[in-house]
Amino acid sequence: MLIDTHAHLYAKQFDQDRDEMIARAEANGIHKFFLPNIDSLSIEGMLALEDKYPDKCFAMMGLHPCSVKEGYEKELSIMEDWLRKRPFVAIGEIGIDLYWDKTFFEQQKKAFNQQVEWAIDLDLPIVIHCRESMDITIKLVERFGGKVKGIFHCFGGSLEQAKKIMDLGFLMGIGGVLTFKKANLASVVKEIPLEYLVLETDAPYLAPVPFRGKRNESGYVLSIAEHLAKAKEISLEKVAEITTKNALNLFE
Ligand code: NI
């Protein structure tokens, strides 16, 4: 069994064929899908999908850094209400994004720290988005001194950064970037113990080669697993076994 630890399957890009897309993923051996939230507007669709697939789709709750803007405090209070109201598998996705917009950097840090505190309080893992901000985000997590666990989603960093993440006891989410030749991620993951890796798509974004630039979907986790097996010179079965165990240990 394979797991997609990060997929926005409630996104409108899947409105025409969501059930078929999930069926295709299952045919490829992917049987669990973890759904990171974005903001207040994505909650309804995400929870509806979880209702429809209660033993396959699992919702997280959190405010994405790209949705931290003017008035983000109101958004955060909606996230907190949900977190106090019912169980979620994780707080996510949360973090820092300096790629799209640096205007709200200070607010992004505040929102991140607040949500990490909730995670500690509720004993939940966090799923971290850090685009153009990995070192900054590692420092933010370090301040919590090992009180929180989780995933650095969409890992594309150096071995040095990977070591810092492992020191924090965090996992790294490996997705389509592994298949991009220029990213050179294969040579880095070769050196990272499999015990620190989980698989993800970030669907509908970041499709792996040969689908790069097109819509991503959870079935492509199989292709990412195959690339990982090749990079680490181990069997696909081993990749499936260990990454699945890592994901279940964290989320359950
Ligand atoms: Ni995402």
Side-chain angles (χ1 to χ4, degrees):
M1 175 174 82
L2 293 162
I3 293 182
D4 191 349
T5 60
H6 194 114
H8 303 272
L9 303 186
Y10 51 79
K12 63 175 183 322
Q13 286 91 333
F14 299 114
D15 282 353
Q16 302 308 315
D17 65 343
R18 188 170 285 105
D19 294 327
E20 292 89 330
M21 180 270 297
I22 289 176
R24 281 196 294 276
E26 294 208 80
N28 276 358
I30 298 100
H31 295 293
K32 286 184 196 283
F33 311 89
F34 289 87
L35 314 176
N37 189 46
I38 302 289
D39 56 28
S40 61
L41 298 175
S42 53
I43 296 172
E44 193 185 332
M46 178 180 69
L47 296 183
L49 185 59
E50 191 192 49
D51 267 350
K52 190 167 182 189
Y53 293 96
D55 51 349
K56 297 187 196 313
C57 292
F58 304 92
M60 307 177 198
M61 184 53 65
L63 185 63
H64 192 292
C66 292
S67 294
V68 174
K69 296 178 178 144
E70 219 69 70
Y72 76 99
E73 294 93 342
K74 171 77 188 141
E75 282 287 305
L76 271 185
S77 78
I78 294 170
M79 304 303 132
E80 187 178 17
D81 283 349
W82 276 104
L83 284 164
R84 307 276 175 202
K85 195 155 65 182
R86 51 149 280 178
F88 287 91
V89 289
I91 296 193
E93 57 185 292
I94 64 174
I96 307 291
D97 189 311
L98 300 178
Y99 177 78
W100 293 107
D101 191 358
K102 296 185 180 69
T103 318
F104 294 100
F105 181 38
E106 287 307 314
Q107 290 89 338
Q108 285 189 28
K109 281 192 279 190
K110 273 190 196 159
F112 179 74
N113 287 330
Q114 176 66 76
Q115 294 182 93
V116 176
E117 277 169 25
W118 293 339
I120 294 168
D121 188 28
L122 295 165
D123 197 22
L124 288 174
I126 59 175
V127 171
I128 297 175
H129 168 111
C130 54
R131 192 154 185 204
E132 305 277 314
S133 63
M134 194 178 293
D135 291 326
I136 293 161
T137 311
I138 287 171
K139 282 216 171 69
L140 289 176
V141 177
E142 277 170 352
R143 284 200 213 142
F144 289 94
K147 284 187 282 188
V148 65
K149 293 273 178 299
I151 299 171
F152 277 78
H153 133 70
C154 195
F155 179 76
S158 65
L159 187 56
E160 196 191 343
Q161 289 169 321
K163 281 179 178 156
K164 285 186 182 159
I165 290 170
M166 290 187 277
D167 284 345
L168 288 166
F170 271 65
L171 308 176
M172 284 155 271
I174 302 298
V177 177
L178 180 61
T179 69
F180 303 170
K181 264 219 172 78
K182 229 180 118 195
N184 205 28
L185 184 57
S187 64
V188 176
V189 298
K190 193 175 189 301
E191 307 299 325
I192 304 174
L194 198 51
E195 284 66 28
Y196 287 92
L197 302 177
V198 289
L199 305 173
E200 63 171 49
T201 55
D202 205 15
Y205 315 107
L206 276 172
V209 173
F211 310 103
R212 193 173 180 178
K214 304 211 173 79
R215 186 187 74 170
N216 198 1
E217 57 175 72
S218 285
Y220 300 162
V221 162
L222 177 58
S223 154
I224 294 157
E226 286 166 349
H227 275 86
L228 186 56
K230 199 172 160 220
K232 295 189 79 62
E233 295 168 18
I234 55 176
S235 70
L236 179 62
E237 289 69 28
K238 192 79 186 161
V239 167
E241 182 200 332
I242 304 297
T243 57
T244 293
K245 197 167 101 188
N246 299 341
L248 295 180
N249 275 347
L250 183 73
F251 287 125
E252 289 181 347

